[in-house]
């Protein structure tokens, strides 16, 4: 796919890619990145938390020409074949069958784990596990990261990398930044250590848990200091703020989970807009791509790693990013002063 002439060349501004948490929903981020990759819009800085930190490590720790391939390998998504059907939400009664399929897939993941990421249910209590209080062991996540990510490139390459976490004891936000630290697989694992599910990770005497507990869309590292150059910040948010009114117990459970994290993101965006309001020395655009049209999802959607679901989320991410990029030309974002928000929600 040729580069879109409506988007300025990357050398004229910095591209920052922010990736939120969401476990199995992270396939949406990978699909969204594939569109940027195809258009030659490689990020200068990737900031992620939880599954966003894993996706970000694969991006920053892989040669630019192979980044989409690395993400496909991690998510086990095959390249699309010519003429391949693009499956969307299915009409009733097939939608009900799809809900059953996804529920069964999530239940299987809980029981058997996700090979390469976390073990079966109660595997954290096995004699060989770290024996920190949790339900799933994540030692295999370290091995996957060490196999797929070139950490020397991640730390010394052109693309800056940051992963966020929370200090379990003090509650302080922690940022592992390749410009300030030597980042390894443990730092990425710590960013994805969601309490109860996954064990905390000890680094330099401090115990760390999932950064999404504090800010599931990690914008603070990006805007904590005014950008020195014009900046396009592309934020991929996996947790929807807006959804139709729930009708079932499963839907209300899913909606409750969404709101816990999505309201964080809403307040964070509003805060940074206020901070940079009227700043003539700042040219920054925040292009937010939210996974708000998720279709037939279930309460345990974050554990549905099944091939059909992952493939659909990947395609949804591609469609949403393509739609979002079309909003840039009309807004002329890099010529505006202060922080400009563009809601790039697309209907996949």
């Amino acid at each position: 796919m040729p580069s879109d002439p409506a988007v300025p060349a990357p050398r004229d501004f910095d591209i920052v890619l922010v990736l939120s948490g969401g476990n199995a929903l992270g396939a949406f981020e990978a699909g969204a990145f594939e569109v940027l990759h195809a258009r030659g819009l490689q990020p200068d800085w990737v900031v992620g938390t939880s599954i966003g930190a894993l996706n970000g490590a694969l991006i920053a720790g892989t040669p630019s020409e192979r980044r989409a391939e690395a993400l496909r390998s991690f998510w086990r998504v095959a390249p699309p074949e010519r003429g391949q059907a693009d499956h969307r939400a299915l009409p009733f009664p097939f939608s009900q069958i799809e809900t059953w399929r996804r529920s069964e897939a999530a239940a299987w993941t809980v029981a058997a784990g996700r090979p390469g990421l976390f073990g079966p249910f109660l595997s954290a209590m096995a004699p060989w596990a770290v024996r920190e209080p949790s339900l799933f062991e994540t030692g295999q996540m370290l091995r996957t990261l060490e196999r797929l990510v070139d950490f020397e490139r991640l730390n010394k390459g052109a693309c800056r990398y940051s992963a966020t976490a929370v200090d379990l004891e003090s509650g302080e936000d922690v940022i592992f930044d390749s410009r300030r630290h030597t980042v390894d697989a443990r730092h990425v694992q710590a960013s994805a250590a969601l309490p109860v599910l996954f064990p905390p990770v000890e680094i330099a005497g401090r115990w760390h848990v999932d950064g999404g507990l504090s800010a599931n869309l990690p914008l603070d590292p990006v805007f904590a200091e005014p950008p020195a150059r014009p900046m396009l910040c592309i934020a991929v948010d996996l947790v929807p703020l807006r959804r139709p009114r729930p009708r079932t117990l499963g839907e209300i459970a899913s909606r409750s989970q969404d709101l816990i994290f999505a309201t964080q993101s809403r307040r964070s965006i509003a805060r940074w807009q206020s901070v940079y309001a009227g700043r003539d020395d700042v040219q920054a655009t925040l292009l937010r791509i939210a996974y708000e049209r998720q279709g037939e999802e279930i309460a345990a959607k974050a554990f549905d790693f099944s091939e059909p679901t992952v493939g659909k989320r990947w395609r949804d991410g591609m469609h949403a990013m393509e739609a979002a990029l079309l909003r840039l030309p009309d807004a002329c974002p890099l010529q505006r002063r202060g922080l400009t928000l563009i809601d790039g929600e697309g209907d996949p």
Side-chain angles (χ1 to χ4, degrees):
M1 183 186 300
S3 298
D4 186 345
V7 180
R11 65 178 177 273
D12 297 330
F13 63 97
D14 292 328
I15 296 178
V16 181
L17 181 62
V18 176
L19 303 174
S20 83
N23 208 20
L25 295 170
F28 179 90
E29 294 174 337
F33 174 78
E34 188 170 47
V35 172
L36 296 178
H37 177 81
R39 293 180 180 231
L41 298 174
Q42 296 292 346
D44 301 289
W45 185 8
V46 180
V47 182
T49 197
S50 199
I51 194 62
L54 272 75
N55 281 331
L58 287 162
I59 293 168
T62 303
S64 58
E65 67 276 8
R66 294 199 295 107
R67 287 170 174 169
E69 175 187 342
L71 287 167
R72 283 189 174 274
S73 175
F74 176 78
W75 286 101
R76 307 171 197 175
V77 174
E81 299 178 1
R82 186 182 300 276
Q84 179 177 344
D86 185 7
H87 301 290
R88 308 292 180 87
L90 299 172
F92 184 85
F94 300 105
S95 59
Q96 188 172 2
I97 295 174
E98 175 69 357
T99 299
W100 293 341
R101 183 196 66 75
R102 291 187 177 216
S103 298
E104 182 179 7
W108 177 255
T109 299
V110 170
R114 172 68 169 177
L117 284 181
F118 53 88
F121 184 64
L122 299 183
S123 56
M125 299 181 184
W128 58 84
V130 296
R131 305 308 296 270
E132 290 300 319
S134 62
L135 298 176
F136 304 90
E137 64 84 20
T138 57
Q140 53 192 291
M141 183 189 299
L142 285 175
R143 296 187 290 273
T144 297
L145 288 165
E146 290 167 352
R147 176 173 56 87
L148 295 179
V149 177
D150 180 349
F151 280 96
E152 182 176 3
R153 179 182 295 275
L154 182 147
N155 284 290
K156 299 180 180 179
C159 181
R160 181 179 178 182
Y161 173 79
S162 298
T164 65
V166 175
D167 186 300
L168 179 60
E169 294 176 289
S170 71
E172 296 175 343
D173 292 333
V174 179
I175 303 172
F176 304 119
D177 191 323
S178 63
R179 295 284 175 86
R180 300 182 176 92
H181 310 87
T182 299
V183 177
D184 61 35
R186 295 173 306 141
H187 298 92
V188 185
Q189 181 192 32
S191 181
L194 186 64
V196 181
L197 296 179
F198 307 131
V201 177
E202 186 271 330
I203 299 174
R206 300 175 69 183
W207 291 91
H208 301 84
V209 292
D210 197 305
L213 293 172
S214 175
N216 198 53
L217 188 65
L219 295 172
D220 289 3
V222 180
F223 295 109
E225 298 180 4
R229 282 166 32 96
M231 180 181 71
L232 173 61
C233 177
I234 302 174
V236 185
D237 194 352
L238 297 176
V239 183
L241 180 62
R242 298 181 293 267
R243 290 282 286 168
R245 182 166 69 90
R247 300 288 183 177
T248 67
L249 187 61
E251 288 176 356
I252 194 66
S254 177
R255 187 64 183 135
S256 175
Q257 296 172 32
D258 290 343
L259 289 174
I260 289 172
F261 295 102
T263 51
Q264 295 178 1
S265 302
R266 180 192 63 196
R267 288 193 294 267
S268 178
I269 291 172
R271 175 165 56 90
W272 287 116
Q273 283 184 291
S274 177
V275 167
Y276 284 106
R279 288 283 297 263
D280 291 334
D281 60 333
V282 172
Q283 290 177 270
T285 292
L286 174 59
L287 177 63
R288 175 180 172 268
I289 296 99
Y291 195 9
E292 293 188 338
R293 301 182 185 271
Q294 296 183 3
E296 298 295 331
E297 285 289 4
I298 57 174
K301 60 188 175 184
F303 277 86
D304 181 3
F305 285 91
S306 62
E307 183 178 349
T309 301
V310 168
K312 179 186 181 300
R313 290 169 177 164
W314 186 291
R315 293 189 298 273
D316 287 351
M318 293 183 67
H319 294 309
M321 180 61 76
E322 288 167 348
L325 291 178
L326 292 177
R327 296 175 180 256
L328 288 179
D330 294 336
C332 299
L334 299 179
Q335 297 177 11
R336 294 186 177 186
R337 301 290 177 175
L339 176 59
T340 300
L341 171 65
I342 298 178
D343 193 338
E345 178 193 356
D347 184 353

